[in-house]
Amino acid sequence: MGLAAAQKAQGMDFIKGDGERPIKMTDIVRLKNMRNIGVMAHIDAGKTTTTERILFYTGRIYKIGEVDEGTTTMDWMVQEQERGITITSASTTCYWKGYRINVIDTPGHVDFTIEVERSLRVLDGGIVVFCAVGGVEPQTETVWRQADRYSVPRIAFINKMDRVGCDFFGTLKQMRERLGANAVPIQIPIGAENNFNGIIDLVRMKAIIYQNEAGMEMKESEIPSDMESIAKKFHSQLLESLAELDETILSRFVHNEPVTEEEIKKAIRDVTIKNTFIPVLCGTAFRNKGVQLLLDAVCDYLPSPLDIPPVKGINPLSQEVQERDASDDEPLSSLAFKIIADPYVGKLTYFRIYSGVLKSGSYIYNMSKDKRERVGKLLQMHANKQTIIQEAHAGDIVAVVGIKETKTGDTICDEKHPILLESMHFPEPVVSMSIEPMTKVDQEKLGIALNRLQEEDPSFRVSYNQETGETIISGMGELHLEIIVDRLLREFKVGARVGKPLVAYKETITRKVESVGKFIQQSGGRGQYGHAVLEIEPGEKGSGIIFENKIRGGSIPREFINPVKDGVLSSAQTGQLAGYPIIDIVVRLVDGSFHSVDSSELAFKMAGAIALSEGVKKASPVLLEPIMKIEALTPDEYMGEIIGDLNSRRCKIESISDRSNVKVIKGFVPLSEMFGYTTQIRSLSQGHANHTMEPSHYSEVPKHIAEKLLIK
C-alpha cells in the first residue's frame, strides 16, 4: 500500500500543510480515540524500524528512514545515527483511522534504561517488539519488568519473520516461560524466512497476502487450504484463553453458541487493558509486512486515557489520597517526565497531562518544589521538530518552553487544587570516571554543560572529590558515559580529558552495634550541644538506608529528629573503609539528650553524623561491588574459549542453553572484570559472538581484592 492508499485507508481527509503532519479537517479527537503508547524492545529487535513504518503508514512522514543509513526520523541525534542505536526516547503524534496516537520510541540498550522507565511512567499502553530469531533477550526481560511495575497494558509484535532462523512459535513459548506472560497469538505467519508472505488473522479468520517483496501491496483472502487446520486450532485456543477470562465468551462456549468478531475484539480489549492477556502479532517491519495490522491492534486493543484508572496522588493539605479523572473539567494535574536542552529554544520540559487544560502563557504550580512558574510556548513534538500549540488537554503529551525550576518527576498542578503524584524510580549509577577541562575557558563551559546533562538524565550524576580535586561523572555503563563525553565535545564544545572508567563500589556492615554521637562546643557565649544514640544493623539487600525514630519520653525534642536523620544520611555518603557510600543498613534513633539553650539543628546533625561514622567502624564493615547479569551468544565452536575467559573474570555461570543455531551462556559477573569485554569476546570468536549485560545486585568483594582498594 502506497502513501496515498495508506492515507485513504484511514477514511480521513487531508490538506497539504506544513509538510510536518497531515491536518485532518476536523482536528478534534476525543479521549476515547486517543492512544498514548511506547515502543519497547531489546537492542536490534527492530523497534525504531517499526516506529518508522508506523509514521509512514499514518502519513506522518513521506519517506521511510532506515537505521543502517542513519536516516530515521526518531533517531535524530548524531550519536544515534552514527551508532545505529536509540539513545534518547523521542515522541511524536500520528493519526490512524480516526484515532490519534502519541508514540514514544524508547532505547533498547541497557545503559539507557532510564529512558524506558520514565516513558512507561506516563504511557497508557505499549508495543513490545521481539526478534523472531533472538526470542526473549535480556533487555526484553528488563523492559517487561518495568512495564509490570507500572501496570502498562501491552501487545507483542514478533518481528523479523523474514530472517533466517526465525521461529514464531519458539518466541511465543519463551514469552510464556521466561516472562510469565499469558501470551496468546491473534495472528500466525504464513511461511517463514524468504517464504514469509502473509499473515492469518485469527480474530476474523482471514488471510492477508502480500503481493510483492516490498510488502506495500496486500490482499485479503480466504485462508490457504494447507493452513486451515492449524488456523482452526489456534482460533480455538484463542477462544479458550478468552473464555477463562471473559464471561461473555465463556457463556457462548458453555451453550455452544457462535462467537462474533465484535465479541472477540471486545473480549481481547477488556482483558488486555486488565493486564491478564497479551495479544501476539507478527510481521517484518523492514519488509513493510504486518505494520498496518499492528496499527489496527493498537486502536482496537490498547487503552485510551479513559480506560485506565484515574491518576492518584496525595493532597498535601489533608494528606489524603485523591483521584483525578481524565477530563478537561478536572483541575490541572500533570507530571514532568523528561527534560532536554534544545540548541534553538533552550530547555524543553515534557509533560503528560492527566487532567485539566494547560494553556500557553498561563501560570502553573510546581507542587514538588512549592513554586509558581510561567508557561512560555507549548509544543507538540515530532522527534526533534516542533509545532506550536495554544493549549493542551487531558491525555496529551506535550513539551513546554520557559519553565526553569521543574525537574524530572515533578508534579505540576492547579495551585488552588494541589496534588502530589507519585514520582519515578531512578537507578543508581554503576560506572564512574574522572573528567577535567583542558583550559580555563573550558572549565566554565564544563560546569554549565554537566548541569544541563544532569537535568536531562537522572541516571547521570556529577560529584566532586575533595581529596583529589577531580570532577567525577557517573552513569549506567561504559556506553552511557561515552555518549555523555561525546555530547560534551560536540554539542557543548567543551575540551576535556577523561580518566579510565571506575567501578561504583559501595560499603555496608555485617553486625548490629549501638553507637553514641556527641557534638559539644563552648566558645564563650552560646555553645553547641547535640547528643544522639543510634542502633545500627544490616538491612535487606537493595533497601538503601532506613532511618527509624524510636525516641520515647522526649529525650530529644521533635524538631531535632530530622537534623539527626540528615546527619546520618550525609555521613553515609562516605564510608569508613574506602570512602564509598554506605548502603543497606537500618538506623534507629533510640536515645539522646539536649540542652535548653545550646542545642541546635546543626549540633544534632553533627551528632547524627558522628554516631553513624563511629558505629560503622565497630560494625565490621565490608566492601560491595556491582554484579552484572550477563548473557553471551556464541557459535558452538567458540564456546570453550568464551567460558574459560568468563571463568577468569570471576563469572558464576548459571546455565548454558541452545537458541536457534547458537549457544546461550548466562551468568553473573563483577563489573570490575568486564571493562573492554566487547573487544575481547569479538577477538575470541572472530567477530561471531556477542553479549549483553545489565546491573543485577551488589555483592561482597573477595578479601584479596578488597585489600587493594582499602585506604591504608
Side-chain angles (χ1 to χ4, degrees):
M1 188 181 290
L3 175 61
Q7 292 179 346
K8 188 178 179 182
Q10 299 176 56
M12 300 170 72
D13 295 318
F14 292 91
I15 60 172
K16 292 180 180 179
D18 55 11
E20 290 302 321
R21 117 182 210 268
I23 303 167
K24 195 179 172 196
M25 290 294 193
T26 55
D27 202 23
I28 300 170
V29 181
R30 293 179 297 173
L31 274 171
K32 71 174 187 178
N33 284 354
M34 180 184 286
R35 301 289 182 267
N36 290 316
I37 66 164
V39 186
M40 302 159 284
H42 184 89
I43 193 169
D44 287 336
K47 176 177 40 56
T48 299
T49 302
T50 302
T51 308
E52 277 301 298
R53 269 56 181 183
I54 287 173
L55 297 182
F56 176 75
Y57 283 115
T58 58
R60 193 67 174 86
I61 58 175
Y62 298 94
K63 182 178 182 296
I64 298 176
E66 302 296 354
V67 172
D68 293 344
E69 297 170 7
T71 56
T72 59
T73 303
M74 303 303 271
D75 286 351
W76 56 270
M77 292 174 64
V78 175
Q79 293 83 359
E80 292 176 318
Q81 294 170 353
E82 288 179 350
R83 291 168 169 80
I85 61 171
T86 304
I87 293 169
T88 184
S89 55
S91 67
T92 188
T93 299
C94 56
Y95 296 83
W96 181 252
K97 297 183 178 178
Y99 288 83
R100 173 177 171 172
I101 306 173
N102 297 318
V103 185
I104 296 182
D105 180 33
T106 65
H109 197 286
V110 67
D111 282 19
F112 310 104
T113 191
I114 181 62
E115 293 288 334
V116 184
E117 182 88 19
R118 59 184 173 187
S119 298
L120 284 168
R121 173 66 180 82
V122 299
L123 291 171
D124 302 330
I127 301 170
V128 184
V129 181
F130 294 82
C131 173
V133 180
V136 176
E137 297 172 283
Q139 185 61 8
T140 314
E141 294 185 54
T142 303
V143 300
W144 198 270
R145 288 196 301 272
Q146 290 172 309
D148 283 342
R149 185 185 303 136
Y150 294 112
S151 301
V152 177
R154 65 216 85 145
I155 57 180
F157 180 64
I158 298 179
N159 190 30
K160 301 190 178 184
M161 285 302 304
D162 61 322
R163 289 272 303 274
V164 175
C166 68
D167 186 352
F168 175 84
F169 299 105
T171 303
L172 186 67
K173 185 182 177 186
Q174 287 184 33
M175 290 173 65
R176 293 166 175 169
E177 292 176 352
R178 294 180 59 178
L179 303 176
N182 184 23
V184 181
I186 62 170
Q187 298 174 353
I188 55 172
I190 300 175
E193 300 179 351
N194 289 333
N195 296 319
F196 175 67
N197 61 4
I199 292 164
I200 293 175
D201 184 337
L202 297 173
V203 176
R204 297 168 56 237
M205 290 301 282
K206 294 286 185 182
I208 292 87
I209 308 295
Y210 292 92
Q211 302 294 295
N212 55 25
E213 184 63 27
M216 293 296 206
E217 301 291 335
M218 60 185 190
K219 180 184 175 184
E220 187 176 293
S221 66
E222 297 301 316
I223 296 170
S225 56
D226 61 334
M227 292 199 70
E228 274 188 30
S229 60
I230 191 170
K232 285 177 180 176
K233 173 189 168 185
F234 279 97
H235 178 72
S236 296
Q237 287 183 7
L238 170 62
L239 294 180
E240 287 170 15
S241 299
L242 291 172
E244 292 175 4
L245 302 167
D246 186 90
E247 289 186 4
T248 303
I249 306 295
L250 179 61
S251 175
R252 291 278 190 271
F253 241 64
V254 170
H255 295 96
N256 202 25
E257 297 172 352
V259 187
T260 66
E261 180 188 323
E262 287 71 26
E263 288 173 332
I264 297 173
K265 280 189 172 181
K266 185 181 181 304
I268 294 174
R269 177 175 179 79
D270 290 345
V271 295
T272 301
I273 291 171
K274 290 176 183 173
N275 256 321
T276 56
F277 184 97
I278 307 292
V280 181
L281 299 87
C282 61
T284 166
F286 186 69
R287 303 291 179 194
N288 309 299
K289 297 175 181 177
V291 180
Q292 297 104 317
L293 300 177
L294 177 63
L295 278 163
D296 289 342
V298 166
C299 302
D300 289 340
Y301 307 129
L302 288 181
S304 75
L306 296 174
D307 295 315
I308 60 171
V311 67
K312 291 182 179 179
I314 303 292
N315 184 321
L317 303 176
S318 64
Q319 294 300 308
E320 293 178 351
V321 176
Q322 286 190 346
E323 293 185 346
R324 295 277 171 87
D325 292 323
S327 169
D328 290 356
D329 299 327
E330 291 267 349
L332 176 68
S333 63
S334 64
L335 191 76
F337 70 95
K338 181 179 172 72
I339 292 170
I340 64 168
D342 188 281
Y344 302 106
V345 299
K347 181 177 165 182
L348 280 177
T349 307
Y350 284 70
F351 286 100
R352 160 68 193 266
I353 301 172
Y354 289 99
S355 64
V357 179
L358 183 62
K359 295 183 179 181
S360 178
S362 64
Y363 281 91
I364 54 175
Y365 179 57
N366 184 328
M367 186 66 242
S368 307
K369 299 285 192 303
D370 190 22
K371 289 186 176 177
R372 293 180 81 213
E373 295 207 70
R374 187 176 180 276
V375 175
K377 292 179 182 175
L378 272 178
L379 304 173
Q380 190 179 84
M381 301 301 296
H382 177 51
N384 63 329
K385 299 183 175 71
Q386 308 126 3
T387 302
I388 297 174
I389 56 177
Q390 294 306 310
E391 58 183 38
H393 302 262
D396 283 347
I397 293 173
V398 294
V400 176
V401 180
I403 54 178
K404 298 175 182 176
E405 302 293 333
T406 299
K407 302 286 190 286
T408 300
D410 285 359
T411 298
I412 300 299
C413 61
D414 185 334
E415 192 170 2
K416 294 178 182 176
H417 301 88
I419 190 172
L420 186 63
L421 306 178
E422 183 187 352
S423 190
M424 298 183 216
H425 167 75
F426 301 129
E428 287 292 316
V430 294
V431 178
S432 302
M433 62 171 58
S434 62
I435 186 166
E436 58 176 302
M438 289 190 175
T439 66
K440 201 146 190 173
V441 175
D442 288 324
Q443 189 169 2
E444 293 178 13
K445 289 162 67 177
L446 179 64
I448 295 168
L450 290 176
N451 282 335
R452 284 194 184 174
L453 290 169
Q454 262 194 128
E455 280 190 340
E456 286 188 24
D457 184 354
S459 64
F460 171 64
R461 311 281 170 84
V462 180
S463 58
Y464 186 73
N465 190 319
Q466 297 286 351
E467 293 182 8
T468 62
E470 292 178 312
T471 299
I472 307 295
I473 58 174
S474 307
M476 299 306 298
E478 286 183 273
L479 180 61
H480 187 194
L481 293 185
E482 185 186 318
I483 297 295
I484 290 286
V485 171
D486 192 58
R487 290 186 64 190
L488 284 171
L489 299 174
R490 293 200 200 188
E491 283 179 40
F492 298 96
K493 306 291 190 288
V494 177
R497 288 184 288 267
V498 294
K500 291 182 179 178
L502 301 168
V503 176
Y505 292 97
K506 306 286 185 189
E507 297 180 23
T508 194
I509 60 174
T510 55
R511 67 188 184 94
K512 184 177 179 179
V513 296
E514 188 175 278
S515 179
V516 179
K518 285 187 177 179
F519 183 73
I520 304 172
Q521 284 186 350
Q522 292 295 332
S523 55
R526 180 180 171 182
Q528 295 282 359
Y529 183 93
H531 170 215
V533 182
L534 302 178
E535 274 184 4
I536 310 167
E537 66 178 44
E540 293 187 7
K541 283 187 177 180
S543 62
I545 299 172
I546 297 171
F547 181 88
E548 298 176 358
N549 174 26
K550 297 295 183 181
I551 292 292
R552 299 290 181 268
S555 57
I556 298 178
R558 187 177 295 176
E559 65 263 28
F560 296 139
I561 303 297
N562 277 336
V564 174
K565 180 182 179 181
D566 292 341
V568 166
L569 295 176
S570 174
S571 179
Q573 294 303 307
T574 307
Q576 299 303 306
L577 286 175
Y580 296 108
I582 301 166
I583 61 168
D584 301 343
I585 59 172
V586 179
V587 181
R588 297 185 187 91
L589 177 59
V590 295
D591 202 2
S593 62
F594 71 102
H595 190 280
S596 57
V597 177
D598 292 348
S599 286
S600 66
E601 290 187 1
L602 174 64
F604 274 95
K605 183 177 179 179
M606 294 300 297
I610 293 165
L612 184 81
S613 177
E614 294 301 315
V616 168
K617 289 178 184 176
K618 300 186 292 182
S620 304
V622 293
L623 205 59
L624 302 175
E625 62 181 346
I627 304 296
M628 310 298 286
K629 182 181 177 183
I630 185 171
E631 183 172 296
L633 282 75
T634 174
D636 199 14
E637 59 262 37
Y638 306 110
M639 188 173 70
E641 288 92 335
I642 288 171
I643 288 176
D645 184 65
L646 285 172
N647 285 332
S648 72
R649 297 170 185 267
R650 297 193 283 132
C651 180
K652 293 181 180 177
I653 293 173
E654 296 284 300
S655 67
I656 300 171
S657 59
D658 292 301
R659 184 187 298 168
S660 299
N661 56 348
V662 296
K663 294 288 185 183
V664 182
I665 305 164
K666 294 182 181 180
F668 296 92
V669 62
L671 175 63
S672 60
E673 304 284 351
M674 298 303 286
F675 292 125
Y677 185 66
T678 300
T679 304
Q680 178 67 2
I681 193 171
R682 286 173 181 167
S683 172
L684 289 171
S685 65
Q686 299 180 23
H688 291 92
N690 59 65
H691 79 291
T692 55
M693 287 194 308
E694 63 175 328
S696 174
H697 61 279
Y698 273 83
S699 184
E700 187 175 343
V701 179
K703 286 185 179 177
H704 69 282
I705 295 173
E707 286 171 0
K708 300 174 185 177
L709 300 166
L710 298 183
I711 298 170
K712 304 296 183 186

